């Protein structure tokens, strides 16, 4: 496995792989790997011939008030794990390389980024789409792998790739959870034991919502109230939103139909956690 921060080098490596007839898969990450990441990498290793994993804590997707400087970083450990999983190249550019002085070209997807996470984290998705577009241009992958855990990000990246004609297939991978149902996140490193216990309520609340709908309660207002109740029972008091949206246009929905994304964001201390489930209703 090769580890490089050089755009020129990675372009050459990918060009060589493509010349050999290989299909290139890209897994964009911010590092501090957990099983959510390794699952994406395993999927890429299975379906692509040449796997590139990028590790880059992208400053433009953090608001000034957020945890950019605190965000966990362990490139050495991540790279070792990537090598074990059969990754061909780990791309670890510096912030200066990705955003040279005077950088001013951003990619902004309208509307779908103004709701949910975008409503609270104002310029977040502009940073995400800019870095993903840059990675797509640098690596030119045939396939790219994203987790359903960040469902809005997945929907936004899909829309961007389609609308801006990136010749890449976006592959969605299911959310990986711990034995208590907590969706794995690099930010769990910030949580205390008692906060981690409370975090179990997130998936429990989503499951309760889904159970209620399956039992025939089709009023999303009522389902939302039940979800809030379960979160409360687990000691989660600060809820940014509980939302029902069509998957994957993210249009708001009031009644079941098609695929519905039930997503939420909560705060435990200074840590913000998100999770979701997608329910499929037969038309
Ligand atoms: P991050 O390093 O947090 O930016 O995440 C990199 C990729 O891993 C994104 O596509 C995430 O959606 C995905 N990911 C993060 N956590 C999980 C998880 N628990 N299950 C599945 N995918 C995940």
């Amino acid at each position: 496995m090769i580890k490089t921060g050089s755009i020129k080098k990675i372009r050459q490596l990918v060009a060589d792989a493509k010349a050999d007839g290989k299909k290139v898969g890209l897994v964009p990450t911010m590092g501090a790997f957990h099983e959510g990441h390794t699952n994406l990498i395993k999927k890429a290793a299975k379906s692509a011939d040449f796997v590139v994993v990028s590790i880059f804590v992208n400053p433009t997707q953090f608001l000034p008030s957020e945890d950019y400087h605190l965000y966990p970083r362990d490139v050495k450990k991540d790279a070792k794990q990537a090598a074990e999983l059969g990754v061909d190249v780990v791309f670890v550019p510096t912030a200066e390389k990705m955003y040279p002085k005077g950088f001013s070209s951003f990619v902004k997807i309208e509307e779908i980024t103004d709701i949910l996470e975008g409503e609270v984290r104002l310029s977040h998705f502009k940073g995400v789409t800019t870095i993903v577009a840059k990675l797509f241009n640098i690596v030119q992958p045939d396939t790219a792998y994203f987790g359903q855990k960040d469902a809005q990000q997945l929907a936004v990246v899909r829309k961007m790739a389609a609308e801006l004609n990136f010749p890449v297939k976006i592959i969605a991978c299911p959310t990986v959870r711990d034995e208590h149902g907590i969706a794995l996140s690099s930010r769990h490193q910030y949580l205390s034991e008692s906060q981690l216990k409370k975090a179990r309520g997130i998936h429990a609340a989503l499951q309760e919502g889904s159970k209620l709908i399956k039992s025939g309660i089709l009023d999303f207002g009522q389902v939302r109230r039940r979800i809030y109740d379960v979160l409360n029972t687990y000691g989660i008091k600060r809820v940014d939103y509980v939302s029902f949206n069509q998957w994957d246009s993210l249009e708001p929905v009031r009644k079941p139909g098609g695929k519905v994304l039930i997503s939420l964001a909560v705060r435990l201390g200074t840590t913000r956690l998100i999770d979701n489930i997608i329910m499929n209703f037969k038309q």
Side-chain angles (χ1 to χ4, degrees):
M1 189 191 79
I2 294 171
K3 184 171 133 216
T4 181
S6 157
I7 293 171
K8 194 169 160 206
K9 176 109 186 255
I10 193 149
R11 282 219 160 110
Q12 190 57 54
L13 292 166
V14 169
D16 292 347
K18 286 195 172 179
D20 286 343
K22 292 184 176 166
K23 292 282 180 209
V24 176
L26 170 68
V27 184
T29 81
M30 297 207 297
F33 288 173
H34 50 65
E35 270 178 61
H37 297 108
T38 54
N39 196 48
L40 296 186
I41 296 171
K42 283 181 195 160
K43 181 120 181 199
K46 245 191 215 157
S47 58
D49 310 306
F50 189 83
V51 178
V52 178
V53 174
S54 60
I55 301 176
F56 180 62
V57 184
N58 175 35
T60 61
Q61 71 188 69
F62 290 78
L63 307 193
S65 58
E66 292 182 344
D67 54 341
Y68 173 67
H69 293 289
L70 277 180
Y71 196 85
R73 292 161 170 86
D74 197 343
V75 172
K76 219 170 160 186
K77 185 161 157 246
D78 292 343
K80 187 168 172 277
Q81 219 173 350
E84 285 161 9
L85 291 169
V87 170
D88 295 281
V89 186
V90 169
F91 180 49
V92 278
T94 60
E96 293 71 32
K97 176 108 353 177
M98 294 307 259
Y99 299 109
K101 203 162 178 277
F103 184 93
S104 63
S105 303
F106 290 90
V107 178
K108 164 112 173 64
I109 312 303
E110 308 273 328
E111 290 180 16
I112 190 174
T113 60
D114 295 335
I115 55 171
L116 304 172
E117 287 303 283
E119 205 172 332
V120 183
R121 307 181 70 192
L122 288 179
S123 56
H124 169 70
F125 284 114
K126 183 173 143 195
V128 169
T129 44
T130 299
I131 195 64
V132 173
K134 281 174 71 73
L135 290 168
F136 284 176
N137 281 329
I138 292 167
V139 178
Q140 303 194 5
D142 297 286
T143 47
Y145 303 78
F146 291 86
Q148 190 200 303
K149 149 92 180 1
D150 300 284
Q152 189 178 11
Q153 169 172 283
L154 171 60
V156 168
V157 167
R158 268 213 181 123
K159 198 163 199 286
M160 177 190 79
E163 292 180 352
L164 296 183
N165 309 98
F166 282 103
V168 58
K169 189 171 172 203
I170 306 300
I171 313 237
C173 302
T175 302
V176 178
R177 304 178 179 282
D178 73 5
E179 69 271 29
H180 304 293
I182 304 176
L184 299 181
S185 162
S186 307
R187 290 193 166 98
H188 286 170
Q189 298 189 22
Y190 304 148
L191 298 179
S192 67
E193 283 286 315
S194 85
Q195 287 173 328
L196 259 177
K197 255 199 178 142
K198 288 181 182 173
R200 296 177 189 180
I202 297 171
H203 188 53
L206 286 168
Q207 276 190 314
E208 180 66 20
S210 136
K211 212 168 91 190
L212 215 58
I213 293 167
K214 282 183 191 148
S215 78
I217 307 288
L218 303 181
D219 169 4
F220 283 162
Q222 197 177 334
V223 178
R224 179 184 284 111
R225 282 193 294 279
R226 183 78 191 111
I227 290 176
Y228 269 89
D229 283 348
V230 177
L231 292 171
N232 244 289
T233 310
Y234 278 82
I236 301 172
K237 306 279 186 235
R238 293 163 66 209
V239 182
D240 280 352
Y241 61 81
V242 173
S243 187
F244 300 82
N245 299 75
Q246 212 73 62
W247 182 252
D248 57 1
S249 69
L250 302 192
E251 298 279 337
V253 281
R254 289 186 207 301
K255 278 197 210 126
K259 282 188 179 171
V260 174
L261 171 76
I262 310 179
S263 62
L264 57 77
V266 305
R267 292 174 198 255
L268 284 171
T270 53
T271 307
R272 206 163 160 279
L273 298 173
I274 58 171
D275 200 353
N276 67 81
I277 51 171
I278 295 174
M279 291 192 74
N280 198 354
F281 297 93
K282 301 236 163 31
Q283 299 284 26

